[in-house]
Amino acid sequence: MFQVLCIFIPLLAALFMPFFFKKISSIHTGWFVLVVPIFLVIYYAMFVPTISKGDSVIAQLDWIPSLGISFVSYLDGLSLLFSILISGIGALVVLYSIFYLDRTKEQLHNFYIYLLMFMCAMLGVVQSDNMMTLYLFWELTSISSFLLIGYWNNRDKSRFGALKSMMITVAGGMMMLGGFVLLSIMGDTFSIRELIGQAAEIATNDLFAVALILILLGAFTKSAQFPFYIWLPDAMEAPTPVSAYLHSATMVKAGIYLVARFTPIFASSEIWIWLVTGIGLLTLTWGSFFALKQTDLKGILAFSTVSQLGLIMSLLGVGAIAFHVDGAQDTIFKYAAFAAIFHLINHATFKGSLFMIAGIVDHETGTRDIRKLGGLMSIMPVSFTVALIGSFSMAGLPPFNGFLSKEMFLTAMLSITEFELFNFTTWGILFPIIAWIASVFTFIYSFYFVFKTFTGKGQVDRLPHKPHEAPVGMLISPVILAALVVVLFFIPNVVADSFIKPAVMAIQPFLYSSPGQIDIHVAAWHGHITTELLMTIGIIALGLILFLTLSKWQKVYNLFPSKLTLNNLYDFIIYELFDRWVGGFSGLYMTGSIRRYLSYMLGAISISVIATLFIQDAFKVTLVGATPIRVYQIILIIVLVIGTIATVFAKSRITSIVSLGLVGYTVSLFFVMFNAPDLALTQLVIETISVALFLLAFYHLPKYKKEEERTRFRFGRAFVSIAVGAMVTLVALSAHSQKLIGSISEYYKETVYSLAGGGNIVNVILVDYRGFDTLFEIAVLSIAGIAIFGMIKLRLSRKGEKL
Amino acid sequence: MEIVMAFVCGFLFMAAIYLILSRSLLRIIIGTGLLSHGAHLLILTMGSFKGSAPPVLSEGVTDFVDPLPQALILTAIVISFGVTAFFLVLAYRAYHELKTDDMTLMKGSEDNE
């Protein structure tokens, strides 16, 4: 119970933030916020001993029990690792933001409410075992991310970036919901654990591949995979603490989490392995290549995040192969899942610190443009050191943690080639080569980031601010993260035993019964020269050469046509396709003219009714039961038709009105002819009053215009009216010819006197058998009378005054 | 006779729709008048014309026509009258305020509001 509540603690705390901001304005609101993630870190750390043994803890709070939807906090290796990352980095980011955001100039309560909302959502995503609440929290991350990116909402770019990330991630989230629903149909449960238990049966279902692709779309959009990565660089308009937290360490890893979590269900599919590995590698290469094109510090980091996420994704894909092999071979692929989790931790540490450094540089110099920066090394020595550690770790150099995970990445990619499944023997050789090339580019942009900013000549005097070292408080968080980067290199196996192995067990649950069985020992030096080490040396050598000659070949990026980018595709879809084309298309038929709309509706109704009549073969005409035709009836019909024609084609209003009166009186004669005295009476009176009303209005309404005259015969108009007339006739004919049951009127005829005490059956029906009709018909008349009175009497002028 | 009346109703509907699709408000209202005539006659026709006496009890008569459609039509006549009256006054007011009875000019889009 308390375990579930812990997810909501940030949200509860958010309720109090406006109070702290308004009432205790002398203290930076961030200090109050800081308590929350620190508490959560301590709380989740207490689970580590249990979880590292391979157990899991579960707590449940029913929400909609009748639909099987409940808030579940399921802590196993994977979700605990993510929970600690979220709350731990959350604490560091809050601390950093206290010094980054000004207490007096910023709307801090807004910022921290969004941030706490996000923290709650993220904890919910990683701990939810119920797919419906997982989706709920998933969308809450999208929404809070939208709010945080658009935090400075007076800037156009912030709003654009916020909207873009919202459109893409929510679109993916919707797909994911579809996948979840399909899964729950297949497994008849919303619980992911139960679905994993039925993985074998689900894999044979027809909907399996559809659910797989839909869920992957959700994961790829959230984790900024190719081609959905385009929102991430634009999200860099957010305040830097947000970029560090959401767009490097936590939210973008929600997709990674999703893939890892669903691996036990989907890994049996070849599509899953190819898609996850292939898209991951493509994203890795693409992101690392285009990172060098960026001139904005945060832009470089955004592309590097994209590329590193691709790396983790591809490792998860390779790790899924472990489900297809057994015996000695599968240890290789366990290795891949291990490397994925390890790199996930490493990436969170070094990327978080790098973002914070980018923020410091921005804060202290007033610019993030790498072309204006340089030579800050001696002015900002601490920031430089942290940036150096982060970048070297990102590049994969010893003695930093990135080296270890990069080695394991190369090992995993090399191992694919030894493996005969799904064409990996033919195409497998490409994987290590692509991975190696991407690593070279990773190396170059890491160096590009740190050395172009901190070394070189620089034009320190021309910067917007006079640069100096950041305040101590701002440096605490990046220094802690940088320290972790180094510490993780020296004690990888401690982390591996307490966090990574339980997480790997969650990803590959069928392969082990306890985390102790995973016999992977991380070592910086294996005691002999391995292929991976040679590849790393190659990366360093080629990377250094290319970095030093960067200015010579950087022009290569100009070769790419600037119009053919994915961003332009997005703009095209949103602004051209939806705004202009679709808007223009609806402008074609939404003309604002009521006559057109009526034509559409009536035409559609009559065509579909006539078509249905003939498709269903429902049209029949029979003369059985019809009453004979008499001469006077024919005469009346001729009068009616003439009156109608005169009404339609009359040139003057008065002719129309009088002809309409003629039609009305003829109808009244019809009523006489068909034995309906009450109707005839009413029709006569009503028609008289109507004609009088028409004549009254005639005086006030203008003359028919010239173009309304009968020469102006419109084809469309005639077509619609003929179609409606034909529909009415056809339906009437076939309805009359196929009467299935008799009338209930026999009852009225028999009981009208005995039960109701009346002789006029129609009147008794109106006031006795069906008196309610009459009551409300009276109401209609009263309302019409009041409305007419109101319309004539009450006149509001344009200004709203009563005249 | 029912067969012929089906055609008459169809014809009334056709004329009514043709008027309703015109530009002048008065024509539209006249169209709705024709439409309600058509609908009333259609209800009567569908109720069948069997029976030779009006549905009023009198000595020695048993062959009444069906009273139920007549009751329905009576209600419909009154309602359509109320609506027509309201519609007419609406047209009068609209012309008074907007100085036009041309439906194509009464679009209410932002350019001519």
Side-chain angles (χ1 to χ4, degrees), chain A residues 389-678:
Chain A
I389 293 172
S391 300
F392 279 15
S393 176
M394 185 155 73
L397 297 180
F400 306 108
N401 58 6
F403 172 72
L404 300 176
S405 44
K406 187 68 69 95
E407 293 285 282
M408 300 177 86
F409 168 63
L410 293 174
T411 311
M413 287 300 150
L414 280 172
S415 62
I416 282 189
T417 51
E418 305 166 7
F419 185 56
E420 295 173 25
L421 192 72
F422 315 143
N423 293 327
F424 274 132
T425 32
T426 24
W427 297 102
I429 191 69
L430 282 175
F431 285 72
I433 293 172
I434 294 170
W436 189 77
I437 294 169
S439 301
V440 171
F441 277 101
T442 308
F443 181 90
I444 305 171
Y445 74 66
S446 302
F447 271 51
Y448 176 66
F449 175 81
V450 65
F451 289 115
K452 291 285 174 192
T453 312
F454 288 99
T455 63
K457 282 177 287 179
Q459 309 120 326
V460 176
D461 308 327
R462 285 162 60 190
L463 289 170
H465 295 201
K466 190 170 162 44
H468 50 79
E469 185 56 275
V472 179
M474 218 171 188
L475 286 169
I476 297 173
S477 304
V479 166
I480 291 175
L481 285 172
L484 277 177
V485 168
V486 182
V487 168
L488 279 175
F489 177 79
F490 289 105
I491 53 152
N493 291 307
V494 177
V495 184
D497 288 337
S498 44
F499 293 108
I500 303 175
K501 285 179 185 175
V504 170
M505 206 183 121
I507 301 176
Q508 303 173 330
F510 306 133
L511 305 177
Y512 329 98
S513 51
S514 83
Q517 286 180 295
I518 307 172
D519 49 353
I520 297 172
H521 190 81
V522 192
W525 170 246
H526 294 276
H528 54 94
I529 298 198
T530 55
T531 325
E532 299 86 6
L533 195 64
L534 291 175
M535 283 170 87
T536 307
I537 293 169
I539 290 168
I540 297 172
L542 186 63
L544 269 180
I545 294 168
L546 285 174
F547 173 67
L548 292 173
T549 54
L550 185 64
S551 53
K552 296 202 176 67
W553 61 271
Q554 212 175 14
K555 294 187 197 79
V556 112
Y557 288 102
N558 301 332
L559 293 176
F560 293 95
S562 60
K563 296 222 163 168
L564 287 173
T565 61
L566 287 165
N567 281 315
N568 282 358
L569 181 70
Y570 170 84
D571 290 346
F572 174 78
I573 288 173
I574 297 290
Y575 298 103
E576 286 283 308
L577 201 65
F578 286 170
D579 270 20
R580 179 140 6 126
W581 291 14
V582 177
F585 178 68
S586 47
L588 282 181
Y589 63 91
M590 301 282 282
T591 52
S593 152
I594 186 113
R595 298 159 59 216
R596 283 222 171 175
Y597 300 158
L598 273 176
S599 309
Y600 300 150
M601 287 191 273
L602 295 168
I605 291 172
S606 34
I607 289 169
S608 49
V609 167
I610 293 172
T612 313
L613 266 182
F614 284 97
I615 290 169
Q616 298 289 327
D617 198 22
F619 182 71
K620 281 190 190 73
V621 183
T622 163
L623 290 170
V624 178
T627 47
I629 305 166
R630 297 179 205 287
V631 181
Y632 57 88
Q633 290 172 333
I634 296 295
I635 296 169
L636 267 184
I637 288 170
I638 290 168
V639 174
L640 185 82
V641 169
I642 291 170
T644 310
I645 291 171
T647 316
V648 174
F649 294 112
K651 281 185 189 172
S652 79
R653 299 170 294 163
I654 192 86
T655 321
S656 277
I657 292 169
V658 171
S659 313
L660 181 66
L662 174 69
V663 173
Y665 290 132
T666 321
V667 169
S668 164
L669 285 178
F670 269 100
F671 290 150
V672 171
M673 184 170 78
F674 295 131
N675 292 321
D678 297 288

Side-chain angles (χ1 to χ4, degrees), chain A residues 591-592 594-595 598-599 602 622-623 625-629 633 637 640-641 644-645 647-648 650 653 656 660 663-664 670-671 674-679 682-683 686-687 689-690 693-694 697 700-702 704-705 707-708 713 717 720-722 724-725 728-729 732-733 736 739 743 745 748-749 752-753 758-762 765-766 770 777 781 784 787-788 791-792 795, chain B residues 1-24 26-27 29-30 33-34 37 40-42 44-57 62 64-75 77-79 81-86 88-93 95-97 100-107:
Chain A
T591 52
I594 186 113
R595 298 159 59 216
L598 273 176
S599 309
L602 295 168
T622 163
L623 290 170
T627 47
I629 305 166
Q633 290 172 333
I637 288 170
L640 185 82
V641 169
T644 310
I645 291 171
T647 316
V648 174
R653 299 170 294 163
S656 277
L660 181 66
V663 173
F670 269 100
F671 290 150
F674 295 131
N675 292 321
D678 297 288
L679 285 185
T682 318
Q683 177 68 26
I686 294 270
E687 197 55 39
I689 302 173
S690 293
L693 269 176
F694 271 105
H700 292 284
L701 287 175
Y704 283 164
K705 287 203 180 121
E707 61 265 26
E708 276 295 312
F713 183 84
R717 205 171 137 188
V720 171
S721 42
I722 289 170
V724 171
V728 170
T729 306
L733 285 177
H736 175 261
K739 272 188 186 161
S743 170
S745 299
Y748 296 136
K749 292 174 192 169
V752 65
Y753 192 77
N760 185 327
I761 307 178
V762 173
I765 288 176
L766 280 176
R770 300 179 56 89
E777 154 198 343
L781 265 194
I788 289 168
M791 238 184 335
I792 293 172
R795 293 189 181 179
Chain B
M1 188 61 206
E2 284 86 350
I3 308 288
V4 181
M5 283 307 286
F7 282 97
V8 171
C9 293
F11 179 74
L12 275 173
F13 268 84
M14 185 175 80
I17 298 300
Y18 188 79
L19 277 175
I20 284 176
L21 292 179
S22 65
R23 291 165 75 169
S24 155
L26 191 61
R27 271 183 196 271
I29 302 170
I30 291 174
L34 280 185
H37 288 322
H40 300 157
L41 282 181
L42 188 63
L44 198 68
T45 312
M46 291 294 99
S48 105
F49 301 131
K50 276 183 201 138
S52 58
V56 179
L57 289 189
T62 48
F64 302 121
V65 297
D66 195 336
L68 192 58
Q70 297 193 11
L72 297 180
I73 295 168
L74 203 59
T75 311
I77 288 175
V78 174
I79 289 175
F81 166 69
V83 174
T84 308
F86 175 76
L88 265 175
V89 177
L90 191 69
Y92 159 69
R93 283 285 292 150
Y95 178 65
H96 201 267
E97 294 286 317
T100 179
D101 73 330
D102 189 341
M103 288 308 291
T104 48
L105 300 178
M106 290 190 191
K107 278 194 195 168

